[in-house]
Amino acid sequence: MASTIRVRAIANGDTTEVQALIQHPMDSGFVKDAQGAVIPAHFIQQLSFEHNGKRVFLADWGPAVAKDPYVKFAFKGAAKGDELKISWVDNKGASDSTTAKIQ
Amino acid sequence: MNFSIEKFSATRRLVLQGTGAVALFGLGGLAAPPARAAANDKYPEEAFKLKTDKDAIQALYGRTAEASDKVKLDAPEIAENGAVVPISVTTTLENVTSISFLVTGNPNALAASYAIPEGTVPGVANRLKMQQTSNVIAIVDAGGKLYSATKEVKVTVGGCGG
């Protein structure tokens, strides 16, 4: 199955800029469907980025993060060709992970 | 798979912190659970359920924030679509360990909280939902103190009520 995670990590000198886009409904639990029934909350709770076994970024998300969430950050100490491991888990216990090469 | 690793490291962290607490207070009594979710890897479930920004900040950090011009919050003046509001923060502060975003007009104020380990640049860009015109607050935890920046974003179409 295609990964839900799309990542671009670009090293520029010592700093690596990471952009990630994840496919997820991020239902808040406040929205009703066409029949008036509440769509239950379904959102990513934690998103983690690891480089060489060290966590470089951790996101704790609530349902107020927009659908198909996007996040951008930068960290130091990585080189081109290194691997960046990304994983998320949502409030229903579903999860996904992928590994991206730093460009 | 992955999550079990997450869980494991979170547990290990708790255990380590527990050990630290025991070491600090001698061996008397049980090690108290770590006080603040923001300080470890555990998902701060309770903080996300609180309605007001004040309560959420208190639950997350246990302190209050002071406004600082060293926290640069970038958000649109007017968001045409409240379902996708691009918001980012950068800061010149040092020793940043955590950055959080709160939206005062949402049913639950806390939107996102990010752990910034050493070596990570203190800045985040993300996209949040906003139910109505309200303030967006960015909180930066730097060297154990909380700093904030606030900006009002006008929302023409809310992003929470469908």
Side-chain angles (χ1 to χ4, degrees), chain B residues 73-81 84-88 126 130 134 136 151-155:
Chain B
L73 173 63
D74 191 13
E77 295 277 332
I78 298 171
E80 284 181 13
N81 180 2
V84 187
V85 185
I87 292 168
S88 66
N126 61 8
M130 291 184 69
S134 71
V136 175
K151 185 172 176 185
E152 192 194 44
V153 177
K154 290 192 168 59
V155 177

Side-chain angles (χ1 to χ4, degrees), chain A residues 15 21 26-28 30-31 43 45-46 48 50 54-76 85-87 89 95-97, chain B residues 1-3 5-6 9 40-45 48 83-85 106-108 110-121 123-129 159-162:
Chain A
T15 305
L21 196 59
M26 297 301 282
D27 288 318
S28 67
F30 296 106
V31 182
F43 56 95
Q45 291 189 317
Q46 284 196 313
S48 166
E50 282 177 37
K54 178 187 178 275
R55 175 171 289 155
V56 293
F57 195 72
L58 174 70
D60 288 330
W61 281 346
V65 172
K67 182 187 171 189
D68 295 337
Y70 163 87
V71 68
K72 181 172 110 172
F73 71 98
F75 69 100
K76 291 184 164 52
K85 198 178 137 203
I86 302 101
S87 56
V89 59
S95 64
D96 195 10
S97 67
Chain B
M1 346 165 285
N2 254 318
F3 186 46
I5 296 167
E6 297 293 324
S9 65
N40 60 48
D41 296 341
K42 198 175 165 293
Y43 181 70
E45 184 125 27
F48 277 104
V84 187
V85 185
N106 279 0
N108 306 106
L110 183 61
S113 181
Y114 299 92
I116 311 290
E118 204 182 333
T120 296
V121 179
V124 187
N126 61 8
R127 300 193 296 219
L128 304 178
K129 289 182 245 185
C160 284

Side-chain angles (χ1 to χ4, degrees), chain B residues 80-113:
Chain B
E80 284 181 13
N81 180 2
V84 187
V85 185
I87 292 168
S88 66
V89 68
T90 56
T91 178
T92 53
L93 292 161
E94 289 183 1
N95 303 318
V96 173
T97 55
S98 169
I99 293 175
S100 296
F101 293 94
L102 299 102
V103 181
T104 57
N106 279 0
N108 306 106
L110 183 61
S113 181

